[in-house]
Amino acid sequence: MKLWGGRFTNREDEIMEQFNTSLPVDHRLYHEDIVGSLAHVTMLVHSDLLTPEEGELLVNGLQSILSDIQSGELKVEGDYEDIHSFVEMHLTERIGETGKKLHTARSRNDQVAVDVRLYAKNKASEVMDSLEQLIDSLYKKSVDNNVIMPGYTHLQRAQVVTFSHHLGAYSQMFKRDKKRIENAIEIMDENPLGCGALAGTTHNIDRNVTTELLGFAKPVDNFLDGVSDRDYLLELMSDFSIIMMHLSRLSEELILWSSQEFGFIKMDDAYSTGSSIMPQKKNPDAAELIRGKTGRVYGSLFALLTTMKGLPLTYNKDMQEDKEQFFDALDTVLDCLEIMSKMIDTLHVNADNMKAAIKAGFLNATEVADYLVSKGTPFRDAHSIVGKLIIYCEEQEKAIEDLTVEEFAKFSGHIADDIYDYIDYDNIITKGNKGLLKIVTQ
Ligand code: ARG
């Protein structure tokens, strides 16, 4: 069933009908579509394009459709071209001829643009809430586990850090992600309703009325841009891609840390699965799936970028492809943020294994060099002295702090008893500007 057909003599081919319909995807815009139409009707009455009686009839009809969809009495499905046709045709069926006046001074081009903007704005706030939740989970885990662990570069043990500081690095990433989304919301906060198909309307409408009713900051400045702009979806999907990249890096670390090789953490059973053949296995599937789904979100971004890149102004049907990509990326990022928060909340930290890994990794070698510098040795010489000292420790199978002062003396005459305090791991994390390792950041 269609809203057009006057100028057609032949029926649309069935396969074309299926190819063209977007209802199976855009049915989830029913709320935004009806809210947009309610604002449009109020504006039409305000602009004397509808009588107050007609306005009331339309509003009541639209509200009854909304409540029937919400209660499950009316299913958003059937032989309709899209959500806009679905709502309008049901309206006319319910209230009669007046329903046909709803589309006065409007095109589906500005209608779909306003629906998607409203939906994206709303869902972007939900993503911000989920980010906040994850930042909170990371903070709580940090407070409860302010213990020392090896820090890495090149995935080689490098210097001692704290587990809290390591998790805090991810909090910083997710805080930036939140800011990016906030910024995207600010940029997209413009009302395209009233742009018509592409060139506005000869009716004397007032776009400020719908702008205010729908909660946008202002109407768009250019009609052609208003109906053909999908930047806000691309921008959100770029932001989602960066969130997924961050989640994927964190997942990778959780996977590594929960391996027997690291043994730094244990994932809760609730977010792990077993093997059908190897009874001993507990696999970090939730983290692996998040890492895997990152590619899917990047894919959605690139699909829409590619769809948009050759389009002349203004609306082209290619743009109907925007929703499937955006919805999939959005659902994925929301699911992954929730699962990650829960995984963080429930993971168990093995502080003893982290400490043991430090002991075995000469993670205080840089501090021995710093000690020598404090005694007057130039840093480059100190670096070379400690290099030789490490070879000695490896041969003797000893940690640096287990050497005697006599053994230290073979490498430098400047090393005295105070070396042990200087290179003690717990002392290291509070020295100099490393005081910040004691600070658990949210
Ligand atoms: N289903 C369409 C979309 O999502 C709605 C706009 C249709 N406009 C048109 N001129 N055919 O893009």
Side-chain angles (χ1 to χ4, degrees), residues 248-261:
S248 186
R249 292 184 74 176
L250 179 52
S251 295
E252 172 64 15
E253 301 223 71
L254 297 177
I255 293 163
L256 282 173
W257 290 344
S258 62
S259 69
Q260 277 176 28
E261 281 68 16

Side-chain angles (χ1 to χ4, degrees), residues 2 41-42 51 94 123 162 208 319 328 343 346 370 380 417:
K2 294 173 195 63
V41 169
T42 306
T51 66
R94 286 186 184 203
K123 290 291 176 178
T162 60
N208 292 317
M319 287 154 68
D328 192 77
M343 227 164 27
T346 54
D370 288 345
R380 199 44 64 210
D417 252 1

Side-chain angles (χ1 to χ4, degrees), residues 20 22 26 81-84 107-109 112 230 315-317 319-323:
N20 186 37
S22 57
D26 64 23
E81 197 178 352
D82 51 31
I83 185 63
H84 325 297
S107 155
R108 272 186 300 166
N109 297 352
V112 72
R230 294 294 182 273
Y315 178 83
N316 298 272
K317 197 57 176 268
M319 287 154 68
Q320 179 164 286
E321 289 293 303
D322 60 354
K323 285 169 276 303

Side-chain angles (χ1 to χ4, degrees), residues 305-359:
L305 277 171
T306 312
T307 296
M308 295 301 294
K309 86 175 183 60
L311 298 186
L313 294 179
T314 52
Y315 178 83
N316 298 272
K317 197 57 176 268
D318 316 45
M319 287 154 68
Q320 179 164 286
E321 289 293 303
D322 60 354
K323 285 169 276 303
E324 204 164 344
Q325 302 303 337
F326 179 68
F327 294 162
D328 192 77
L330 172 73
D331 294 347
T332 307
V333 83
L334 282 171
D335 281 354
C336 291
L337 283 168
E338 185 181 346
I339 296 265
M340 182 56 88
S341 283
K342 291 181 166 159
M343 227 164 27
I344 297 289
D345 287 342
T346 54
L347 69 78
H348 171 79
V349 177
N350 195 334
D352 291 344
N353 284 355
M354 289 184 183
K355 193 141 195 185
I358 288 169
K359 185 99 182 142

